[in-house]
Amino acid sequence: MPTRTTTTPAAEQRTRRADRRFGVRLLGAVAAAAAAAIPFALVLVLVEASWPPLRRVDAGAARRLHEFAIEHPAWTGTLRILSDWVWDPATLRIAVALLTLWLLYRRAWRLAAWAAVTATGGALTGVLVKVVVERARPSLEDPVAQAPGYSFPSGHAMTATTSCAVLLLVLLPMVPRPWRALCWGVAAVSVLGVGFTRIALGVHWFSDVIGGWLLGAAVVVLTGWAFEAWRTDSGRRPTSVAEGLEPELTDEDPEPPTAVGRR
């Protein structure tokens, strides 16, 4: 049964203090994502150093999947539809943008800020790393697809990671518990599927995809920590990933009222 949140002046003051800390933490989380993601940093070092084992994995995966793509044009066409339309970064970002607008309508102000900053900050971080690394894309004979720009990290893989995480962690409270495992499965298949299509189409190396996944996950973990810290500061109970970031989203007033959100 939806509930309406009532607060005292002392609770509202506590919420305002929590909001100020939340803004600083959220922006700081995005700024620190690349440096704090140790696994991503390791892949970045290996890419820059052209580590032979990684180079062999990259070249082997690109060669085998490209040969299969050339021999199976129908299969390749399906991958292009998935990569260019279903899992395209523009499609996923539009989905997150619509979700953010819905959160604003629901007066879930902080959750909307988290979703917007996670998606936007992730995209900007990915572009920055591409410019810094300047890795060339695979150069294959008879390519089945083309993509502009630099290669590392994969923007498709990173966007899929951040976007699917945002959609999942926001909407889980609205999903009946028996269906939540299915939602996790769809998100996992989408993230893994994006990476596979980019390698199979010959527009990214294997390590590009790994880097995109790791960097995207780092952004989500750090901004998610900022949101959980806001919950603690504002006096709300801790949550688990299985519940979503804000279990109160099913309530009539999901977040404490503010000067902006007061009825």
Side-chain angles (χ1 to χ4, degrees):
M1 180 71 180
T3 60
R4 179 183 292 241
T5 302
T6 58
T7 58
T8 64
E12 290 187 9
Q13 186 176 7
R14 180 178 184 176
T15 299
R16 284 195 294 270
R17 289 197 299 267
D19 286 345
R20 288 193 291 270
R21 297 190 192 103
F22 175 52
V24 173
R25 286 169 176 154
L26 193 57
L27 295 178
V30 173
I38 296 176
F40 168 77
L42 176 59
V43 173
L44 177 59
V45 170
L46 296 179
V47 168
E48 289 290 80
S50 296
W51 190 45
L54 181 61
R55 199 164 57 234
R56 287 195 293 271
V57 170
D58 277 340
R63 183 184 67 256
R64 288 191 293 270
L65 287 175
H66 181 64
E67 291 172 353
F68 191 86
I70 292 293
E71 296 171 0
H72 301 81
W75 181 78
T76 302
T78 301
L79 293 183
R80 294 192 64 169
I81 292 173
L82 291 172
S83 180
D84 297 342
W85 294 97
V86 179
W87 292 325
D88 184 73
T91 302
L92 296 174
R93 287 166 187 159
I94 289 173
V96 172
L98 293 174
L99 176 68
T100 303
L101 292 175
W102 177 76
L103 289 172
L104 293 174
Y105 171 77
R106 291 280 292 112
R107 299 179 179 83
W109 314 108
R110 292 87 172 177
L111 195 57
W114 174 81
V117 170
T118 300
T120 304
L124 294 176
T125 302
V127 171
L128 176 62
V129 175
K130 279 180 180 285
V131 172
V132 171
V133 177
E134 293 186 345
R135 190 187 198 191
R137 292 182 183 270
S139 179
L140 304 170
E141 294 184 8
D142 301 320
V144 297
Q146 299 284 347
Y150 295 119
S151 188
F152 186 92
S154 166
H156 277 67
M158 185 172 177
T159 301
T161 303
T162 55
S163 298
C164 288
V166 167
L167 293 168
L168 185 66
L169 294 176
V170 168
L171 294 176
L172 271 181
M174 314 294 292
V175 178
R177 288 188 179 276
W179 292 94
R180 290 183 183 180
L182 176 61
C183 294
W184 281 99
V186 170
V189 168
S190 297
V191 172
L192 295 174
V194 167
F196 178 79
T197 62
R198 302 309 284 169
I199 301 170
L201 291 173
V203 294
H204 275 295
W205 302 105
F206 175 77
S207 54
D208 297 338
V209 170
I210 298 297
W213 284 339
L214 292 176
L215 183 54
V219 171
V220 172
V221 168
L222 288 168
T223 59
W225 164 82
F227 190 85
E228 188 63 26
W230 167 79
R231 288 184 62 87
T232 300
D233 287 347
S234 61
R236 295 199 155 193
R237 68 174 179 83
T239 60
S240 67
V241 175
E243 297 178 279
L245 281 184
E246 193 163 63
E248 300 87 354
L249 192 58
T250 55
D251 296 345
E252 183 179 352
D253 291 319
E255 293 182 3
T258 62
V260 175
R262 191 187 303 280
R263 292 181 182 275

